[in-house]
Amino acid sequence: MIKSLLFVPVCAVLVACGGVEPPAESAYAAREFAPSVSEAPCKRNEASRLALFGDLHVHTSLSNDAWNFDVRAQPDDAYAYAFGESIQLPIGDDYLGRKVQIDRPLDFAGVTDHAEFFGEQSVCMDPAAAGYNSSFCEVMRSGEGRAPQLVMQIMSPFSKRRQDVCGEDGADCAGRAATTWQHTIDAAQRWNDTSEDCERTTFVAYEYSSFRMGSNLHRNVIFRNTAVLQRPVSYLDVHREWDLWRILKEQCIDGDTGCDVLAIPHNSNISNGRMFAVDYPGADSPAEQAQRARLRQQIEPVVEIMQHKGDSGCRNGLQGVLGGEDELCNFERFENLAFQRFVGEGEEVGQCYDGPLADWVPHLGPNCLDRKSYVRYALVEGLREQQRLGVNPFKFGLAASTDTHNALAGGVQEADYPGHLGNGDSMVQQRVSFSEENPGNAFNNPGGLIGVWAEENSRDAIFGALKRREVFGTSGPRIQPRFFGAWNMDPALCEQPDRAERAYKGAVPMGSDLPDPASDAPVFMLAATADAGSRRFPGTPLQRLQVIKGWADAAGNHHQRVFDVAGDANNGAGVDPQTCAPQGDGYGQLCAVWRDPEFDADVPAVYYLRALENPSCRYTAHQCLQLPEAQRPADCQQPLMDPVIQERAWSSPIWYTPGENG
């Protein structure tokens, strides 16, 4: 069933009444790249590449939805936390009530505050501003972080900046947004290590936050260096993602300023099937559609498969997906909360409408299911588009991050997770409760980390890894997965101490296409190293490695197969949720050389690695145990989500396309 917003007054839906016209596209033109004169080559540089861990989805008080939950941490605080320093967070009504510190510094990070209200927030917090007394500013200052008036600004397909806030020509918001954007740039520059030590890398970044028609279509925009747009492209100015891609290409990549950029879509699990829709509005001919698909592939080489709003990788029971149930697709199902909120009590969550007007059907929020909301099936749909258009718009590397709104870049440790939303989950009782009254309730999780295989810890090396999709995601642990594909491979490759170097010479790494066939079936080397943990928190051993294979049939059905390749699903390991004490053994490393036993040379296919840890306690189980028994909420005894989880890592895929590889 689809619930609409038809009861909302027309002017409220349009949010265009008295609106400010968006800037000319030339106003976004990129600045010249100004390299630091002190920048030195990294003294640690590995030809076979290093596993580096980071977080490219981080919000601070510059994001209004964080500010309204009493977060006061700035971008500098986010970088301080990411790289090992302690910062303060609110608790209850106390803005600075607790001190937190990451258990291990990250290698890289990027602050991605929502660009939509950069100017408006400054106006609304400044009593001297002309728009300070507007009704919009009164709501923004109210502390209601998800007030309907604010949500409608990023939900309406015709949204504009408001004249009563920004002035008739929008100049007040534009000028203040420029100051906020410069603040973001300056913080990234201060924390980027340009010495030969290369201990930390930062990226200038922001979030484009489209909630168009009630569907999440957010993207994090990441720049290679300081050649960045003069102003961020936000949803209030550009309502369609392909216009975002086009502006990034024309005003950044195609110029001569040294600007380079990519975008990372996230939370497709709450997109009502729209994140990976195959509809190309406005591009009618196959040639026009191929051009747009090529643009998307260029701008969006990576997708976020996991963050605090859940796992967007796969889901059981979806229409048009064959191959049996994948039990591990029941991981961190945040969208179930949204379905409780927006689907009538006692009603089933229906299939998303897919008719000719699907692009214009409004939703109160995520309220329908579709395979086009999940990354695994987007990868398969991309194979079909490759056959139809000659271009795969969904050729994604797989990544993860946190989406913290506490400025806690990389704060993913389950045992001491301090929450992600200021006073919305500052108390343990809030974080372990499944009540909708708590904005940061237990349907959320700590989020994940993005990993790259790069020669060194520098902007160019990490950005290069993102562009070529040699990237992986984890649900939090620092698992190091490797995935290589070829047509012939030494069966004893795993036994070689220089197996990575050998693999690079004779195979393609994750994120690549297999070359034209040279044998009957492709062969893959898959390996992973377990997270060793930190001084404060021990790591969890690996349980097994799997290869996920996807393909489509002539009728358009998607097929999935999960192969257990290394390790042991029945190794007897587990965890007691009553004590969180681990039981049984696992593996510090796993490696295998595996050939696809069901290969059909006529059928395009996509493969990726999933590495699984032994079972461990979810943060809710840890934190329920930290409360005195008399203070534990009822949800500690009857949780709506399993208190035992299997943390994991996903490699980027390797693609096979008959006759079109190389």
Side-chain angles (χ1 to χ4, degrees), residues 262 294 296-303 379 392-399 451-453 462-472 483 509-513 650-655:
L262 57 82
R294 199 170 292 111
R296 181 172 195 162
Q297 186 185 105
Q298 179 182 16
I299 301 297
E300 296 190 349
V302 175
V303 67
L379 293 172
N392 183 345
F394 306 133
K395 201 162 197 174
F396 296 125
L398 307 186
V452 299
W453 289 102
I462 295 170
F463 197 87
L466 295 171
K467 293 282 276 190
R468 67 174 180 269
R469 308 180 190 89
E470 199 169 356
V471 57
F472 58 93
F483 193 46
M510 64 177 79
S512 303
D513 291 289
W650 304 263
S651 79
S652 287
I654 293 175
W655 289 266

Side-chain angles (χ1 to χ4, degrees), residues 245 249 253 280 286-301 385-386 389-395 467 469:
W245 306 331
K249 177 175 171 58
I253 296 173
Y280 305 101
E288 291 172 329
Q289 293 174 12
Q291 182 179 17
R292 182 172 295 169
R294 199 170 292 111
L295 177 62
R296 181 172 195 162
Q297 186 185 105
Q298 179 182 16
I299 301 297
E300 296 190 349
E385 287 300 276
Q386 175 78 34
L389 296 175
V391 186
N392 183 345
F394 306 133
K395 201 162 197 174
K467 293 282 276 190
R469 308 180 190 89

Side-chain angles (χ1 to χ4, degrees), residues 60-61 72-82 85-88 191 407-409:
T60 75
S61 62
R72 295 298 179 263
Q74 294 280 310
D76 279 301
D77 298 303
Y79 290 125
Y81 179 86
E85 297 184 15
S86 63
I87 66 171
Q88 289 184 299
W191 285 91
L408 302 184

